[in-house]
Amino acid sequence: MEKTAKILQENNAEIMKIWQNQVVQEVLASKESDSIALYNQLPDLINDIARLMIRYDKMEGFNKDEKYVEILKTSEEHGKQRSTKVYYTAEQIVHEYIIFHRTLSEFLISHDGYSEKVSDLLKYVIETSILKSVGSFSRSIQDMQEKLIGTLAHDIRNPLAAAQLSLEMMKQDKTGEWTDKSRIAAQRSVKKAINLIEGLMNGITVKSGEGMLLTFESSDLLKEMKFVHAESKEVYTREINLEYNAKNIIGIFDKTAVKRLVENLIGNAVKYGSINKPITISIEDEKDAVAIKVHNWGNPIPPSKQEQIFKFMGSAKRNKKPASASWGMGLTLTQIVAEAHGGNINLVSDEKTGTTFTVNLIKQFNEVGKRRAKLTFVLENI
């Protein structure tokens, strides 16, 4: 099969162009993908198939070859990448591979490189590639769904616990001095829990390319951060300071998602920071953007963990704790919220300066209304 392998290697780009044109015509979801995303890993698949053909003139033993293992890994990456693209389904991924098989076969036939052995190898490799790709696609969607639901369920406990505490204070308040304040706090906490439950229900319907459902509206983000600061001082016994450089910060934000983001950063700062030094929240108005920083002193986050802390969808493998597990489920969604606002989140942590998470948001990146954040993760070897 060396002749066929040579045909594939020398005409890789042409074959991929034919495949891509056919996919765009036949697979509806591909119309929403840019050409780079559509192309992605499949050129490597052609080269790996060609190398298998050079090594094995017969079918025996090739499925244990390292190149065959690489083909399966490539297929898993293909499925995982497709899970970040809106409108893709498992059926459409299968359709892509069917077109890929057809394109290879027709091209080889037209170039006198097709035989029964070639047919058998292509059928076996592509069928197993389909299984790996679809499996990886489904696991990636399920992973995102589980993280959304897990994060929301985790966060629901906090306002419910606060509401329970307020009710207990009302029960113990014999003089009535704290009853009104406790009732207002309980109502506020229950309202927050209800909003989170609504988010939990939305998280159940995650599809390819979709993250959490966000509601964008014109808001004064400084006002919301003042509220988070005041509530945090009520919840925690630690000293928590708030710094800002503007009277208000108006923009189009999902204020609930941003508040939850900052609440989780504060919670982690309380949990992992020094109990003898204050936590500082700072909000910096930067004309078209806003930077929110949460700083704490204490043991820094090791450099190895800093590199992995936001890569919560970095692997499609199951039964594997996310890199940020030790930093709380809420932290795993901060990057999605930041990117949905056209921004990002970064981390600086060392002995000298302490630990600072900085969330950058663009004020007018979104229009008013509801939309789902983009599903993102860092592609890496599986």
Side-chain angles (χ1 to χ4, degrees), residues 28-88:
L28 295 177
S30 68
K31 300 182 189 303
E32 303 296 326
S33 300
D34 56 60
S35 59
I36 295 176
L38 187 62
Y39 206 84
N40 66 11
Q41 294 87 11
L42 290 186
D44 292 333
L45 181 58
I46 293 178
N47 286 328
D48 287 338
I49 290 174
R51 293 187 185 101
L52 275 181
M53 290 179 172
I54 293 172
R55 296 188 187 190
Y56 297 91
D57 188 51
K58 297 181 180 179
M59 290 282 288
E60 293 126 7
F62 86 88
N63 58 348
K64 296 181 181 179
D65 189 275
E66 62 181 31
K67 288 301 172 187
Y68 179 71
V69 174
E70 288 181 15
I71 287 172
L72 299 186
K73 288 182 178 180
T74 296
S75 300
E76 287 184 336
E77 288 290 350
H78 178 83
K80 192 165 86 169
Q81 192 274 343
R82 287 297 186 260
S83 72
T84 68
K85 302 302 172 185
V86 181
Y87 306 124
Y88 261 95

Side-chain angles (χ1 to χ4, degrees), residues 75-251:
S75 300
E76 287 184 336
E77 288 290 350
H78 178 83
K80 192 165 86 169
Q81 192 274 343
R82 287 297 186 260
S83 72
T84 68
K85 302 302 172 185
V86 181
Y87 306 124
Y88 261 95
T89 63
E91 289 80 5
Q92 296 199 58
I93 293 175
V94 172
H95 194 178
E96 283 189 341
Y97 274 96
I98 290 173
I99 296 171
F100 184 65
H101 190 184
R102 185 179 70 208
T103 300
L104 284 179
S105 299
E106 290 178 351
F107 190 91
L108 292 173
I109 289 171
S110 66
H111 287 71
D112 194 27
Y114 199 72
S115 66
E116 185 175 348
K117 289 181 181 179
V118 169
S119 175
D120 290 342
L121 186 143
L122 288 180
K123 182 179 179 182
Y124 185 88
V125 168
I126 292 176
E127 284 180 352
T128 52
S129 295
I130 289 173
L131 291 175
K132 288 294 183 179
S133 187
V134 171
S136 179
F137 172 85
S138 300
R139 287 194 301 274
S140 294
I141 299 297
Q142 187 176 348
D143 281 348
M144 185 65 214
Q145 190 176 58
E146 289 177 358
K147 285 178 173 64
L148 281 172
I149 294 172
T151 301
L152 289 163
H154 176 271
D155 287 352
I156 286 170
R157 292 187 301 178
N158 293 332
L160 290 178
Q164 184 179 27
L165 178 60
S166 296
L167 293 173
E168 287 294 330
M169 291 178 64
M170 291 173 62
K171 184 178 178 181
Q172 300 296 326
D173 185 16
K174 305 301 183 182
T175 65
E177 181 181 358
W178 297 97
T179 297
D180 286 343
K181 184 177 181 180
S182 298
R183 175 178 53 79
I184 292 171
Q187 289 175 333
R188 183 178 63 204
S189 296
V190 170
K191 183 178 179 181
K192 181 186 287 189
I194 290 172
N195 289 335
L196 288 169
I197 290 170
E198 290 177 355
L200 187 67
M201 299 306 295
N202 288 323
I204 295 173
T205 61
V206 170
K207 299 177 182 178
S208 66
E210 297 182 347
M212 60 199 302
L213 183 66
L214 299 176
T215 301
F216 295 99
E217 56 186 327
S218 180
S219 308
D220 179 358
L221 201 60
L222 180 57
K223 177 182 176 182
E224 302 303 328
M225 293 301 100
K226 287 180 178 179
F227 177 84
V228 171
H229 174 240
E231 191 174 49
S232 297
K233 290 178 70 176
E234 291 180 3
V235 173
Y236 303 112
T237 58
R238 297 278 297 282
E239 180 183 352
I240 302 176
N241 299 323
L242 176 65
E243 300 174 351
Y244 48 91
N245 67 345
K247 293 182 178 180
N248 53 53
I249 300 176
I250 307 299

